[in-house]
């Protein structure tokens, strides 16, 4: 994909001095007042190749300067017209899941199980950010994760490699579009390569132990999908794997990323990840940092200044060859050429009409919401009802945008839940009663007696999630649990709307809530999506992209586990010995789970062949497996039909369930539809202990169902 720019990159490279080459590998934070002239001088000398448009290492939850388009054009002019090389600057920013219009956090968007919708949303994000001169986003974050204590689980697409892979390719294509030089396209960045989501204990920036077997089967697939989708850049991760920092690992950055996955773009470090090699104890000094990272295959250094300070001497002293520098520089130049920066270095800012973007923001927020409990079909509420609305998220705006929403418009642009509920109820017979403090007082007993139902707006602050925001206990705040207890005591039905980032442990509040809607940090129109869902304007169809544990102590708990020798696979039911003496081993809500206001019935799956030859599979033949799904309720609804496999006996232990396909369908009441999956070698194999993809003979169960616990199966044999 980017190799076609090799020749032009080579021609530019030949004109550069060693210093100017190294400048292309140097990314610095956007200039702040006071060092502008000095910055311009550095650009003139060819010492800077890229700016990161933020000025703090954990931009996710801290105020960042807005994108200053005029300044960016001013600096670009210096680079193009006043430096000897004339090479344009590359501007990157954390435009993670929205720009001025914010979409649900990655973990929530994945619950939509709708890659096409996600792709449309991410194209809108690119339109908004690119219109302000942002060439490159440090997104999508595609770290597979089983660790809800880790604040950054919210950024990825959950625990499953297949779902995360479909989302990764949708996000990359959404950002990059069909033409990277187009005005509404942005370079994407698959991050954090690799294994960051396995941080031990859910502690950020921490160590990981990842076997190649797990890496190849569970963690690499979304990166493989992103590379196949043409992702222009990859960001190296902070963590070490089995004692080897990724940032200085040739194995991960070159042998696997380029040799195995075929990545052709360039690798940028995470913020000061190169510097951290000294703290991780593999580099003695700045020169070591630069040498180790560059020779491992890390092309551009984010904000550390080790490259610019050391690479020239390292080359002149013969410690590293200039060819290593040339390789990295050409990779960067190829992406700048691919982006069309040489032809169009300046951006005339233009106003983007956000009307459609806002509509899509509400649509995907609604499709991401997961109805996990609905006792006696309490929801949807009638608009004739008198509703007592309480809770800390009644008035919340910023948290609804989630972490990493650097440029999200706030104020009235992000309606709060009270405004949304009042809007939905406007002109209706019912009413919304709320307490200005949003906190229940003892005197609520009377208020409750005057209302039909209680709705609690609960949740987790955005600032309790994201980077460097890990929790040792992932429960809702005690005052929220107490609020639910009091509400339940009133004898009225209680609805919990939970605006969260992580999949919180809800066992201590669940008994007080008759219905629970996981609304997530769903972006600009999250409040309206939630309000319209509880009143039935939207029929919830989200499915969990990650397991919800009962208690923090169950972590890690995820669905695609291998079978234990003694049936202690609590996930699939308490077995021979329970996992814990003080807790059930099963999840509160499993992967792929979500209720609807209607109901669906699945026929037993049927295959077109009960056996298939291994040779036939490897030659591209497949098995057609199908099931009929019927809407047995009274209203139209969407259902994500999921295909799982189970390889009972193989040369390596295989998971009890593996998601290998899904199709989201909409059915009217009474309507039935057949869903078909064509299952080939790419779905029936795995990477063995030699990191080789193999398909083996034997029996394979094919499941078609509504979540990972389905037992709706048919068995085939590979012969
Ligand atoms: C941060 C994050 C990374 C982000 C980068 C730039 O530390 O780890 O995801 O893109 O630095 O802000």
């Amino acid at each position: 994909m980017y190799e076609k720019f090799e020749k032009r990159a080579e021609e530019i490279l030949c004109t550069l001095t060693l210093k100017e080459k190294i400048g292309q590998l140097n990314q610095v934070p956007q200039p702040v007042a006071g060092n502008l002239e000095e910055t311009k001088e550095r650009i003139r000398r060819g010492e800077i190749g890229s700016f990161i448009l933020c000025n703090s290492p954990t931009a996710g939850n801290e105020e960042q300067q807005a994108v200053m388009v005029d300044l960016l054009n001013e600096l670009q002019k210096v680079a193009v017209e006043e430096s000897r090389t004339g090479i344009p600057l590359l501007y990157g920013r954390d435009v993670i899941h929205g720009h001025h219009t914010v979409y649900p956090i990655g973990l929530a968007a994945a619950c939509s199980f709708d890659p096409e919708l996600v792709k449309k949303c991410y194209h809108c994000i690119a339109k908004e950010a690119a219109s302000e001169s942002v060439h490159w986003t440090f997104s999508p974050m595609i770290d597979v994760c089983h660790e809800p204590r880790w604040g950054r689980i919210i950024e990825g697409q959950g625990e499953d490699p297949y779902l995360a892979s479909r989302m990764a390719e949708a996000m990359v294509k959404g950002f990059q579009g069909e033409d990277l030089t187009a005005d509404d396209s942005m370079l994407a960045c698959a991050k954090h390569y690799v294994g960051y989501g396995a941080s031990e204990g859910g502690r950020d920036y921490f160590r990981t132990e990842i076997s190649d077997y797990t890496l190849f089967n569970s963690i690499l697939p979304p990166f493989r999908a992103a590379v196949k989708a043409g992702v222009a850049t990859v960001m190296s991760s902070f963590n070490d794997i089995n004692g080897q920092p990724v940032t200085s690992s040739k194995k991960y950055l070159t042998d696997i990323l380029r040799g195995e996955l075929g990545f052709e773009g360039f690798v940028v470090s995470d913020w000061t990840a190169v510097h951290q090699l000294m703290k991780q104890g593999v580099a003695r000094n700045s020169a070591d940092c630069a040498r180790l990272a560059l020779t491992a295959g890390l092309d551009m250094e984010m904000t550390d200044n080790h490259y610019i300070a050391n690479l020239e001497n390292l080359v002149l002293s013969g410690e590293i060859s200039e060819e290593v520098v040339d390789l990295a520089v050409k990779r960067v130049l190829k992406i700048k050429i691919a982006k069309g920066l040489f032809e169009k270095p300046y951006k005339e800012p233009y106003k983007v009409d956000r009307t459609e973007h806002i509509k899509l923001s509400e649509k995907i927020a609604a499709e991401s919401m997961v109805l996990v409990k609905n006792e006696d079909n309490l929801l949807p509420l009638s608009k004739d009802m008198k509703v007592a609305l309480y809770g800390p998220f009644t008035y919340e705006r910023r948290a609804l945008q989630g972490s990493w929403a650097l440029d999200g418009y706030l104020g009235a642009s992000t309606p709060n839940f009270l405004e949304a509920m009042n809007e939905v109820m406007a002109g209706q017979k019912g009413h919304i009663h709320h307490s200005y403090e949003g906190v229940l007082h003892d005197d609520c007993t009377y208020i409750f007696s005057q209302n039909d139902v209680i709705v609690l707006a609960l949740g987790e602050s955005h600032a309790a999630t994201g980077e460097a925001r890990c929790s040792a206990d992932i429960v809702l705040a005690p005052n929220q649990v107490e609020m639910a207890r009091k509400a339940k005591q009133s004898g009225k039905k209680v609805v919990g709307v939970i605006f969260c980032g992580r999949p919180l442990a809800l066992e201590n509040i669940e008994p007080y809530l008759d219905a629970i809607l996981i609304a997530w940090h769903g972006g600009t129109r999250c409040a309206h999506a939630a309000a319209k869902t509880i009143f039935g304007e939207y029929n919830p169809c989200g499915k969990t992209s990650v397991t919800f544990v009962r208690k923090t102590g169950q972590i890690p708990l995820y669905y695609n586990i291998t079978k234990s020798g003694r049936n202690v696979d609590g996930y699939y039911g308490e077995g021979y010995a329970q996992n814990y003496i003080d807790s059930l081993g099963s999840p509160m809500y499993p992967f792929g789970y979500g209720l609807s206001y209607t109901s669906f019935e699945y026929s037993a799956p049927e295959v077109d062949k009960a056996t298939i030859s291994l040779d036939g599979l490897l030659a591209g033949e497949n098995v057609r497996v199908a099931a009929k799904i019927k809407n047995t309720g009274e209203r139209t609804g969407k259902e994500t039909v999921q295909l799982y496999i189970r390889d009972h006996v193989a040369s390596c232990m295989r998971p009890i369930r593996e998601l290998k396909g899904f199709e989201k369908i909409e059915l009217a009441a009474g309507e039935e539809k057949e869903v078909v999956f064509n299952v080939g070698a790419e779905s029936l194999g795995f990477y063995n202990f030699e990191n080789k993809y193999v398909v083996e003979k034997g029996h394979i169960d094919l499941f078609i169902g509504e979540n990972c616990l389905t037992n709706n199966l048919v068995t085939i044999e590979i012969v």
Side-chain angles (χ1 to χ4, degrees):
M1 175 150 193
Y2 300 107
E3 279 317 301
K4 62 186 178 227
F5 303 112
E6 172 74 18
K7 185 168 175 303
R8 188 170 171 198
E10 182 67 47
E11 287 161 1
I12 297 168
L13 182 80
C14 296
T15 68
L16 304 183
T17 65
L18 176 56
K19 256 190 198 307
E20 289 163 342
K21 290 177 184 177
I22 296 164
Q24 288 301 307
L25 309 182
N26 185 32
Q27 181 185 69
V28 300
Q30 63 187 11
V32 290
N35 70 358
L36 189 52
E37 276 322 304
E38 183 224 332
T39 301
K40 287 182 177 177
E41 259 318 295
R42 294 182 64 198
I43 296 171
R44 284 188 193 97
R45 294 196 299 267
E47 291 177 10
I48 298 174
S50 169
F51 282 93
I52 170 171
L53 306 180
C54 79
N55 32 41
S56 78
T58 52
N61 283 311
E62 287 149 25
E63 286 311 306
Q64 296 297 319
Q65 282 170 324
V67 178
M68 301 170 280
V69 184
D70 295 343
L71 172 65
L72 298 182
N73 277 332
E74 191 181 332
L75 297 176
Q76 192 67 293
K77 206 167 165 58
V78 173
V80 171
E81 299 174 25
E82 299 173 28
S83 79
R84 200 190 71 78
T85 69
I87 297 173
L89 298 164
L90 188 61
Y91 295 133
R93 188 169 172 88
D94 291 289
V95 184
I96 308 300
H97 54 95
H99 194 59
H100 299 318
T101 309
V102 182
Y103 298 85
I105 52 173
L107 192 65
C111 294
S112 71
F113 277 78
D114 190 339
E116 270 317 297
L117 178 57
V118 168
K119 183 176 155 189
K120 278 191 198 129
C121 293
Y122 278 59
H123 182 55
C124 295
I125 299 174
K127 272 203 293 197
E128 291 186 11
S131 75
E132 296 178 6
S133 278
V134 182
H135 305 133
W136 173 29
T137 176
F138 304 120
S139 182
M141 189 276 212
I142 53 177
D143 302 329
V144 169
C145 182
H146 305 147
E147 201 16 287
R149 290 174 292 184
W150 188 48
R152 305 198 74 169
I153 191 171
I154 64 144
E155 299 173 48
Q157 290 74 44
E159 69 192 47
D160 178 70
Y162 180 85
L163 175 59
S165 300
R166 302 294 72 78
M167 290 293 156
E169 60 202 22
M171 292 170 174
V172 168
K173 290 178 177 169
F175 279 134
Q176 298 193 166
E178 296 308 317
D179 171 9
L180 269 182
T181 65
D183 259 355
D184 58 2
S185 147
M186 262 206 301
L187 299 166
C189 179
K191 75 181 187 182
H192 305 79
Y193 181 84
V194 68
Y196 189 18
S199 288
E200 204 167 79
R203 302 176 190 84
D204 209 351
Y205 314 122
F206 215 62
R207 58 187 309 283
T208 69
E209 284 289 343
I210 306 172
S211 66
D212 278 357
Y213 185 58
T214 296
L215 184 79
F216 273 73
N217 286 295
S218 300
I219 295 176
L220 274 179
F223 287 96
R224 200 182 284 274
V227 169
K228 197 161 165 233
V231 71
T233 68
V234 161
M235 182 184 290
S236 76
S237 56
F238 290 126
N239 58 291
D240 71 86
I241 298 181
N242 314 337
Q244 190 181 46
V246 171
T247 300
S248 61
S249 164
K250 182 177 171 299
K251 170 182 175 181
Y252 298 111
L253 291 181
T254 297
D255 303 345
I256 293 178
L257 180 59
R258 296 187 185 279
E260 169 73 23
L261 272 52
F263 176 58
E264 293 177 4
F266 74 79
V267 178
V268 63
S269 68
D270 203 336
W271 188 292
T272 72
V274 174
H275 182 78
Q276 288 169 22
L277 293 175
M278 282 190 274
K279 294 184 184 161
Q280 286 168 306
V282 296
R284 281 182 304 277
N285 51 39
S286 176
D288 270 1
C289 290
R291 175 176 54 79
L292 288 168
L294 185 73
T295 51
L298 200 151
D299 304 308
M300 183 185 282
E301 182 188 26
M302 181 186 284
T303 70
D304 284 347
N305 298 317
H306 293 296
Y307 279 21
I308 200 78
N310 296 284
L311 288 184
E312 186 178 17
N313 290 340
L314 287 167
V315 169
L316 297 178
S317 66
E319 274 195 73
I320 60 171
S321 71
E322 188 159 355
E323 284 67 40
V324 173
V325 174
D326 290 351
L327 194 55
V329 177
K330 274 197 289 185
R331 288 170 181 155
V332 172
L333 289 174
K334 280 186 261 185
I335 296 302
K336 289 188 173 184
I337 295 164
K339 187 71 191 80
L341 290 182
F342 288 85
E343 287 70 33
K344 285 196 294 181
Y346 309 120
K347 172 70 75 178
E348 278 314 308
Y350 56 92
K351 207 86 188 98
V352 173
D353 175 0
R354 297 192 309 123
T355 312
E356 282 313 303
H357 300 188
I358 293 166
K359 279 186 194 151
L360 271 177
S361 169
E362 181 173 313
K363 178 175 171 55
I364 190 166
E367 304 252 337
S368 304
M369 292 187 181
V370 187
L371 180 64
V372 293
K373 182 178 183 182
N374 195 17
E375 292 279 284
D376 307 327
N377 293 320
L378 171 61
L379 293 179
L381 301 180
S382 153
K383 293 183 183 178
D384 295 348
M385 293 176 107
K386 291 179 282 184
V387 178
L389 172 60
Y390 283 90
F393 277 72
T394 304
Y395 307 96
E396 183 55 52
R397 297 179 197 279
R398 173 64 188 84
L400 303 186
Q401 294 185 341
S403 180
W404 293 101
L406 278 60
D407 303 281
Y409 285 154
L410 272 168
S413 298
T414 301
N416 64 34
F417 193 48
L418 174 63
E419 289 160 350
M421 290 283 275
N422 279 329
E423 208 173 294
V424 172
M425 189 62 102
Q428 303 294 327
K429 278 173 64 185
H431 79 221
I432 305 286
H433 171 98
H434 71 281
S435 135
Y436 280 95
E437 295 69 42
V439 178
L440 293 189
H441 299 291
D442 292 339
D443 66 6
C444 283
T445 314
Y446 170 71
I447 294 175
F448 289 152
S449 67
Q450 304 307 303
N451 285 284
D452 302 319
V453 66
I454 302 164
V455 174
L456 298 181
L458 310 170
E460 169 185 45
S461 164
H462 68 289
T465 69
E467 185 169 355
R469 301 292 197 288
C470 302
S471 294
D473 199 356
I474 57 167
V475 292
L476 278 169
N479 67 317
Q480 297 188 33
V481 179
E482 177 56 13
M483 186 179 283
R485 189 189 64 77
K486 277 188 179 173
K488 188 66 189 163
Q489 235 173 12
S490 73
K492 300 288 179 167
K493 295 288 187 187
V494 185
V495 178
V497 181
I498 301 181
F499 299 95
C500 55
R502 5 167 115 76
L504 296 168
L506 300 173
E507 185 173 68
N508 63 345
I509 193 170
E510 191 267 348
Y512 304 130
L513 303 173
D514 299 290
I516 302 174
L517 177 69
I518 305 294
W520 300 111
H521 291 155
T524 298
R525 294 291 292 182
C526 179
H528 277 80
K532 290 180 179 177
T533 297
I534 62 173
F535 281 106
E537 291 184 35
Y538 292 121
N539 183 355
C541 58
K543 299 272 189 175
T544 49
S545 59
V546 66
T547 295
F548 278 66
V549 296
R550 297 170 184 279
K551 291 180 170 69
T552 303
Q554 288 182 284
I555 296 169
L557 184 69
Y558 48 98
Y559 91 94
N560 47 1
I561 46 170
T562 50
K563 188 93 184 69
S564 68
R566 285 207 160 189
N567 274 357
V568 286
D569 318 301
Y571 202 104
Y572 291 88
E574 313 310 326
Y576 166 85
Q578 66 273 61
N579 287 153
Y580 305 99
I581 56 173
D582 58 349
S583 168
L584 291 175
S586 55
M588 176 63 87
Y589 309 115
F591 173 81
Y593 173 82
L595 302 175
S596 168
Y597 293 153
T598 186
S599 51
F600 299 98
E601 215 166 68
Y602 284 68
S603 74
E606 291 179 358
V607 288
D608 63 347
K609 51 179 86 73
T611 63
I612 184 166
S613 73
L614 179 54
D615 295 345
L617 266 177
L618 297 177
E621 286 174 29
N622 55 45
V623 174
R624 179 189 187 277
V625 59
K628 290 189 178 65
I629 292 86
K630 183 172 184 179
N631 180 340
T632 50
E634 266 111 58
R635 62 173 287 172
T636 298
K638 291 181 182 175
E639 171 72 342
T640 296
V641 179
Q642 298 156 49
L643 169 72
Y644 294 90
I645 71 164
R646 181 179 179 181
D647 185 347
H648 278 272
V649 179
S651 56
C652 310
M653 288 175 68
R654 299 303 302 142
I656 297 175
R657 294 283 187 287
E658 288 179 77
L659 182 70
K660 291 295 181 183
F662 57 82
E663 184 179 333
K664 189 168 191 174
I665 59 174
E666 183 166 40
L667 295 174
E671 185 183 1
E672 181 176 72
K673 180 178 178 189
E674 182 181 61
V675 171
V676 179
F677 297 102
N678 290 304
V679 184
E682 75 290 344
S683 302
L684 296 171
F686 58 92
Y687 288 89
N688 64 13
F689 295 142
E690 286 72 51
N691 299 343
K692 290 281 165 282
Y693 187 77
V694 295
V695 182
E696 297 178 347
K697 294 179 180 176
H699 289 91
I700 303 242
D701 289 344
L702 305 179
F703 302 82
I704 295 184
E706 68 282 12
N707 63 55
C708 68
L709 299 183
T710 179
N711 279 309
N712 193 32
L713 70 98
V714 63
T715 301
I716 61 168
E717 187 179 7
I718 303 173
V719 294

